[in-house]
Amino acid sequence: MKKFWLGLVCGIVIATSTAVYANEAIQATLFPVQYFFNSQPHEPDSEYATLNYNGHAYVPVRFVAESMGASVNYDEAYRYISIKQPLVVPYRTPSELGTFSIEGYITKIDGERVLIVSTSAKDIHAQNKEFYEAVWVGNVPKGLRVGQAVQVSFQGVVETSYPAQALNDKLSFMPVQKPKQADLSEEQVVRQAIVQAGETEERLLFVVKDVAYDEYSDTWSVRYVNAFQQYPRQEQIHLVADQ
């Protein structure tokens, strides 16, 4: 994907030197400045430039957004730039940590930690009426597998990123669903769906909405959404042959 910059009006009155042309009809000047994010200095790469146009500073949106934890995408066909802010898991006080837990599917395994994504949506604010909790959980027992349905309570501090990060206090397995007529279990079906969805979607946070088996077609269907997509999300269905 090509990188593009877009001016953000900062309202800074400035006077600088070298003249450059952002477009054929617009003359601007280079504006060498230092950037600080939460009081911490952050230098942009040489490919980025800050400009002064009509007394306002125009900054590279990709550099600023990514420095603040957001992602930027440019759609060349429709010529629009989208900025997505990371979702944040609500903060838990120390008294709440002992009872805070998550129930969902293991969707990724990274070394000694697993990513658990809830299947239940929460309405946390107007811009995100379908929020799914997701937590990277460390200190888990060995032998866990993608596709397993688990419930985990946490110990210690929960880092409020998205996905959040926490340590396992107690992990229990949800009952494994396997119809009598089926050869595969729900765990195996979910695992196949996650793996195959990851082959086509570069940035995936797999949320299982429903898993069903049809004995007449001998086929499973996994209904899911990608929680990294903006709301409203497009629901998708993945079919798995029972073999």
Side-chain angles (χ1 to χ4, degrees), residues 40-91:
Q40 298 297 318
H42 192 174
E43 290 295 324
D45 295 335
S46 58
E47 63 182 317
Y48 294 120
T50 306
L51 303 178
N52 170 28
Y53 176 66
N54 284 347
H56 297 290
Y58 286 75
V59 302
V61 67
R62 181 177 295 277
F63 165 70
V64 172
E66 291 181 350
S67 297
M68 299 177 70
S71 62
V72 180
N73 289 289
Y74 175 71
D75 190 303
E76 192 168 3
Y78 294 96
R79 298 180 63 83
Y80 70 77
I81 294 173
S82 64
I83 303 174
K84 298 180 182 179
Q85 291 182 312
L87 302 175
V88 177
V89 176
Y91 174 74

Side-chain angles (χ1 to χ4, degrees), residues 5 29 44 60 67 70 73 76 105 113 130 134 145 174 185 208 222:
W5 58 262
T29 55
S67 297
N73 289 289
E76 192 168 3
Y105 288 90
R113 63 177 189 163
E130 194 178 305
R145 299 181 298 273
M174 307 301 292
S185 67
V208 178
V222 180

